[in-house]
Amino acid sequence: MRTFRSRTRTPRIAGERRMLVAMAVDATGSGMYVPFSLVFFHHVTGLPFATVGLVLTVVGLLGLGALPLAGSAVDRYGARRVQLLLYGVRGTGFLLYPFAHSLPAFAAVALATAFGDRAFPAVQQSLLGEVAQGADRDRLQASSRALRNGGLGAGSLLASLVVGFGGNAGFTAAAWLNAGSFALAAFLMSGVRPQRRAAVAPGAEASDVRGAAARRPAGYRQVFADRPFLGLTAVNFLNALGYSALSVLFPLYITTWLRGPQALTGTAFTLNTVMCAAGGVVVGARIRSRGARRTRSAALGSLLFAAAFAAQIVLGTFRPGSGIVLGGALLIIVVLYTLGELVHSPAAGALSVAAAPEALRGRYLAAYQLSWSLAAAVAPSLFTALMAVDGRMPWAVLVLTSLVAAGVVVRLERGLPGGAVRVALA
């Protein structure tokens, strides 16, 4: 019986537990300010809401400049070193926020922190590519997504307790606790030793074969010349608009077009977070066990998104007056939307990592991360402009973008490395 268990247990890569715990700690700290960032920064700096909002918007756009720099640094020094540096930058920023009462001081600290925040996701994706191959990459993608959602929820609850007991001083405590979470995550990650492979083992992704051959990185010119990967990045931009819908469009749609209670927004967020945290690993494992191609899994997730967005159009057409009917229908739509997220996210993330040559993985994933950042920047103005025409118009656009994304990612199969499309045994 013991032999049977040892053979069937999922093998772990070196340092995996420390890395996953670091992700959970990081997400918990971030959850202490992300859900109410404007209120948070207003209290810790003492500046007006309008000033805080303007500064955060400007530094957020400027922070995109960190992506190409971070990509180059990852290819030269390795993802772990760059990630530890970013933990230091972000932690220092939150230590200093309570002292940044003047506008120039707040703008300087916010800009440094924005550089760290914008570059971090691409660096973490690169690290997953360095420490894992094949199915392990998909498994870690699902685990990191689940931990991210669970940590954000736990951090938000913790911040509510801290602020509830501490009042305005609680916001300062939350900032320092977040800085402490970055320090703890950095300590945990310092024990992870990824191996940047020079040789390619049997069954490794074809992208790693290209990376092993490319000893000296060719820079971003190679990234921009890789049309299949640029197509993958464009597809992700279309899907990223859909990911923005829950936080940007959903609250506006409920309160203005459907005339529903604001409490439904919080319920929808909670349901999405709980499902992602509890079901991410299970759904990802089920898909991998069926041997689905990453491109087909990503396409299926896009189709589920399209179905959820189409359901919003139907609901917005009938606009039921009963609060029970409206609430029940919205929660069913959120469940369908979240299923699309659970299917799409790990497959698309692992596909982008596996499609990037190892020697240029940092630059490739920095370019890929731009699609997320641009979608987050475009979504608020796009959705509000469409809402001004008709409340159902944004959902119609999202149905179209999701269907296009599903079709294009399948068409890209021929141009992408075979090992990136098909999940290889770890």
Side-chain angles (χ1 to χ4, degrees), residues 70 73-75 77-87 119-120 123:
V74 166
D75 292 334
Y77 301 108
R80 188 180 69 93
R81 291 182 180 179
V82 179
Q83 188 181 59
L84 293 177
L85 174 62
L86 294 180
Y87 272 136
F120 190 84
V123 175

Side-chain angles (χ1 to χ4, degrees), residues 105-341:
F106 174 57
V109 175
L111 180 59
T113 308
F115 266 67
D117 287 340
R118 291 295 184 272
F120 190 84
V123 175
Q124 182 162 284
Q125 289 288 87
S126 298
L127 181 64
L128 294 182
E130 289 184 10
V131 302
Q133 296 187 61
D136 276 342
R137 285 179 178 169
D138 300 74
R139 181 169 57 82
L140 286 179
Q141 288 285 346
S143 297
S144 64
R145 184 75 180 181
L147 290 171
R148 175 72 178 171
N149 282 277
L152 288 175
S156 178
L157 176 61
L158 179 60
S160 299
L161 295 175
V162 171
V163 173
F165 283 104
N168 289 341
F171 286 97
T172 298
W176 287 344
L177 284 172
N178 189 27
S181 74
F182 291 138
L184 178 55
F187 170 76
L188 292 168
M189 285 303 305
S190 65
V192 178
R193 305 292 178 183
Q195 299 296 323
R196 305 189 79 191
R197 293 168 292 276
V200 181
E205 270 92 348
S207 59
D208 289 337
V209 177
R210 293 188 297 162
R215 285 293 188 175
R216 300 185 64 181
Y220 281 100
R221 286 181 299 175
Q222 180 173 327
V223 180
F224 296 133
D226 192 335
R227 292 185 178 181
F229 191 87
L230 292 181
L232 197 63
T233 303
V235 165
N236 190 66
F237 172 78
L238 298 178
N239 282 314
L241 289 174
Y243 276 91
S244 299
L246 188 63
S247 59
V248 178
L249 177 57
F250 200 86
L252 183 63
Y253 183 68
I254 289 177
T255 56
T256 59
W257 186 260
L258 296 179
R259 298 186 180 89
Q262 185 63 44
L264 282 176
T265 301
T267 304
F269 275 113
T270 302
L271 178 60
N272 174 262
T273 300
V274 171
M275 285 186 64
C276 287
V281 176
V282 176
V283 173
R286 186 66 178 271
I287 292 174
R288 290 194 305 275
S289 67
R290 294 179 176 272
R293 300 178 184 182
R294 289 174 176 137
T295 46
R296 304 297 172 89
S297 298
L300 175 59
S302 296
L303 292 177
L304 290 172
F305 282 149
F309 300 148
Q312 290 281 28
I313 296 175
V314 174
L315 183 62
T317 300
F318 290 98
R319 288 197 272 190
S322 170
I324 297 177
V325 174
L326 177 62
L330 284 171
L331 292 182
I332 292 173
I333 292 173
V334 171
V335 169
L336 182 59
Y337 170 89
T338 306
L339 287 175
E341 184 176 345

Side-chain angles (χ1 to χ4, degrees), residues 341-353:
E341 184 176 345
L342 293 175
V343 173
H344 176 270
S345 179
L351 179 61
S352 66
V353 174

Side-chain angles (χ1 to χ4, degrees), residues 15-158:
E16 178 178 343
R17 290 185 185 277
R18 294 177 67 95
M19 185 166 58
L20 293 178
V21 173
M23 291 178 183
V25 171
D26 178 3
T28 302
S30 298
M32 298 187 72
Y33 80 96
V34 167
F36 43 91
S37 56
L38 281 176
V39 176
F40 177 89
F41 290 118
H42 164 73
H43 280 280
V44 299
T45 63
L47 295 171
F49 283 109
T51 303
V52 171
L54 178 61
V55 170
L56 292 179
T57 299
V58 173
V59 300
L61 293 174
L62 293 176
L64 296 179
L67 280 169
L69 298 176
S72 300
V74 166
D75 292 334
R76 184 170 183 177
Y77 301 108
R80 188 180 69 93
R81 291 182 180 179
V82 179
Q83 188 181 59
L84 293 177
L85 174 62
L86 294 180
Y87 272 136
V89 171
R90 298 163 79 200
T92 302
F94 278 89
L95 278 176
L96 295 178
Y97 268 128
F99 305 103
H101 299 297
S102 67
L103 178 58
F106 174 57
V109 175
L111 180 59
T113 308
F115 266 67
D117 287 340
R118 291 295 184 272
F120 190 84
V123 175
Q124 182 162 284
Q125 289 288 87
S126 298
L127 181 64
L128 294 182
E130 289 184 10
V131 302
Q133 296 187 61
D136 276 342
R137 285 179 178 169
D138 300 74
R139 181 169 57 82
L140 286 179
Q141 288 285 346
S143 297
S144 64
R145 184 75 180 181
L147 290 171
R148 175 72 178 171
N149 282 277
L152 288 175
S156 178
L157 176 61
L158 179 60

